[in-house]
Amino acid sequence: MAYPAQVTKKEVSPTLKVGGNCAIVVGILGALFSLNYLLLPPEQRIGANPADLLPSFDRDPTLLRLEMIEMALAGVCGMGLAPAVSEMLEALKKGGARWTGTLATFSYGVMAVSNLLMMQRLPGVASAYVHGDASTKAALAATWNGSIDPDGWMQYGCVGLWMLVVNTAASQSEELPKPLAYLGMALGVLYCLKPISATAQMPELMTPMMGLGAILAPLWYLWMGFQMRSKAEERTAPPPQGNWPRA
């Protein structure tokens, strides 16, 4: 008697599926954020003087508030993305990838909280600055930034480090397409440069970096998202075990 055919059953990985969806959303938000940044008035961009930024925001807060909403949503989705990438690349058994993945998850959370706090606090600060006397303006100019990560060392620096580590590891394996890994490495370098330029007060570097980020970030996040969704379907359950009748 012949053995019946043993059929493997597909098993969808919920972490990869959710992470893939999150990556796609972050890619769309990243493109909107970068393009929106290019439309901001110069006095509302990173590194602007508070004496120019606060009155400008009080007059027209629309674009900058939209930036904060996009960043907060990207942070929330990023917390679903980083663990999924770690699961997908688990076969590489790279300790650095797992550690930086945890750091990236935390950093995406910082991104969400920081932008939500700024969105709630900045309108009142800008209004108080515009209507305040000289001493009030001096005090607010020194303390206006309520972000918990003002220069972006967590939101960009740590996320960029994670991207460098996981994409470098992936480029040495067959887990991801090589072009995707190289694209992620380039984006990681770009992210690492953002807090450096902010801390060094070089806002003139932000515009070209945002322009480049508007291209690289959506490509990597969207491509990675579809890769994770694809791999979620590839995970298969082992064939059923049992005693089969013999001929």
Side-chain angles (χ1 to χ4, degrees), residues 88-154:
M88 185 172 65
L89 301 178
E90 186 177 1
L92 298 180
K93 298 189 183 302
K94 299 288 187 179
R98 181 170 298 180
W99 175 74
T100 54
T102 302
L103 187 61
T105 303
F106 177 76
S107 299
Y108 278 120
V110 169
M111 179 187 297
V113 172
S114 182
N115 282 277
L116 289 173
L117 288 174
M118 282 292 293
M119 188 167 58
Q120 186 273 333
R121 183 175 185 270
L122 193 55
V125 173
S127 178
Y129 181 91
V130 169
H131 298 98
D133 56 23
S135 60
T136 300
K137 290 182 177 180
L140 291 176
T143 61
W144 70 274
N145 194 339
S147 171
I148 57 177
D149 184 28
D151 290 331
W153 285 102
M154 296 295 294

